[in-house]
Amino acid sequence: MKLQELLARAEGLVRDIDLTPVRRWKDAVAGRKAIGYMPVFAPREIIHAAGMLPVGVFGGGDQMEIIRGDACFQSYICHIPRSTVEMALSGRLSGLDGMIFPSTCDVIRNLSGMWKILLPGVYARYLDVPQNFDRAVGGTWFEAELRAIARDLARLTGREIDEDALRASIKTFNANRRLTRDVNRLRRESPHLAPASEVYVVLRAGCMIPVEEHNEMLAAYIGEARASGRPVLDNCRIVIRGAFCEQPRWPCCARWNGPAATS
Ligand code: SF4
């Protein structure tokens, strides 16, 4: 796939707040299910091993007005949780058969309870993470949490998660992590070949498609970006530090088709 084509596909995936690719994936085979998650700490491998599609949800960005979502949170709460509620109440997340809300912050934590009230009957689970890193304490406890999620998903699909399937899923997601590191290494070592605006959409696109497809996309991007022959630019480097999860507005992250990035 050529670079511009690949980037257009990635941006299309990222901007699709109706989750059309997820609906298409489900429609292709009867009985398929998809599980959404707020994109940190979620055990995507378990969802994948259950034969389901893990779908990262980042809220509606600047593409939707928040009306009903504002009724559920204080107005000063950040955009992601409020717009995620808006997406759910406007039916945009109806392609999801459940949601996992990891322990990102108090706001995301509370979404799991809200989901149960707003969408009764839809699977919603709060995923806590260990604070004690002693394997015998935090490790044992976290294993029990993950096993509970695996049991929940098995109930949704009607079949147990196979251990071999889980091993295969872990392998596939580890390949995804390696490729993600390769993309970031390319960006670090040759930023003129892999602009942040491109890397952003290419990495985030993985939240909407099967990991196998995303692995292919990442490998293709690395090859195409390396071969692009873009000139070295004298850009100053900026380091952003922290873990704030609000996403950039589109006008500033959709520069990949600008002249500097494509030459
Ligand atoms: S930006 Fe911070 S407070 Fe807001 S949802 Fe993300 S982690 Fe929570």
Side-chain angles (χ1 to χ4, degrees), residues 38 77-81 104-109 243-246:
M38 303 306 281
I77 292 288
C78 41
H79 191 271
I80 287 189
T104 319
C105 62
D106 285 349
V107 190
I108 300 296
R109 172 199 301 253
F244 195 66
C245 61
E246 206 70 73

Side-chain angles (χ1 to χ4, degrees), residues 3-237:
L3 186 56
Q4 290 309 315
E5 201 184 318
L6 184 153
L7 293 171
R9 172 153 191 258
E11 185 180 355
L13 289 166
V14 170
R15 287 184 66 80
D16 192 333
I17 59 171
D18 292 310
L19 309 192
T20 319
V22 176
R23 292 175 204 277
R24 278 203 204 109
W25 180 85
K26 287 179 68 177
D27 290 347
V29 177
R32 275 183 169 174
K33 293 190 188 314
I35 297 290
Y37 62 90
M38 303 306 281
V40 274
F41 307 137
R44 295 173 299 168
E45 294 84 348
I46 296 178
I47 302 171
H48 182 267
M52 300 161 130
L53 182 67
V55 181
V57 176
F58 288 77
D62 58 359
Q63 295 184 78
M64 62 188 295
E65 190 165 355
I66 302 171
I67 300 166
R68 281 169 286 187
D70 270 346
C72 301
F73 280 116
Q74 309 89 311
S75 53
Y76 57 83
I77 292 288
C78 41
H79 191 271
I80 287 189
R82 286 186 294 122
S83 64
T84 299
V85 170
E86 188 74 31
M87 286 172 82
L89 293 179
S90 58
R92 289 185 165 93
L93 300 183
S94 60
L96 301 178
D97 299 280
M99 275 291 287
I100 294 177
F101 298 98
S103 174
T104 319
C105 62
D106 285 349
V107 190
I108 300 296
R109 172 199 301 253
N110 289 338
L111 272 179
S112 61
M114 268 181 210
W115 228 250
K116 288 180 180 154
I117 294 169
L118 297 172
L119 303 168
V122 176
Y123 175 67
R125 195 177 204 287
Y126 167 59
L127 167 68
D128 210 350
V129 290
Q131 308 299 322
N132 184 320
F133 298 111
D134 181 337
R135 288 175 78 101
V137 182
T140 306
W141 175 82
F142 195 50
E143 181 185 337
E145 279 287 288
L146 296 180
R147 284 188 185 280
I149 289 182
R151 279 195 300 276
D152 288 351
L153 299 184
R155 264 195 296 276
L156 285 177
T157 60
R159 61 185 163 83
E160 291 298 313
I161 296 176
D162 181 74
E163 279 203 16
D164 288 341
L166 186 55
R167 283 199 188 90
S169 296
I170 291 171
K171 238 173 140 175
T172 312
F173 276 94
N174 281 345
N176 191 263
R177 291 185 186 95
R178 271 195 299 277
L179 285 159
T180 300
R181 279 196 293 272
D182 290 347
V183 170
N184 285 330
R185 188 177 307 117
L186 174 65
R187 162 127 190 91
R188 195 168 60 243
E189 293 172 356
S190 310
H192 59 291
L193 296 179
S197 51
E198 290 183 6
V199 170
Y200 174 79
V201 289
V202 168
L203 293 182
R204 191 174 146 186
C207 288
M208 289 282 270
I209 52 178
V211 62
E212 295 83 355
E213 262 182 61
H214 192 230
N215 286 352
E216 284 172 19
M217 178 185 276
L218 293 177
Y221 176 71
I222 293 168
E224 290 291 331
R226 277 193 194 287
S228 63
R230 291 162 167 164
V232 177
L233 298 173
D234 188 22
N235 287 341
C236 71
R237 297 194 175 193

Side-chain angles (χ1 to χ4, degrees), residues 230-231 255-263:
R230 291 162 167 164
R255 292 270 184 258
W256 55 264
N257 55 356
T262 56
S263 56

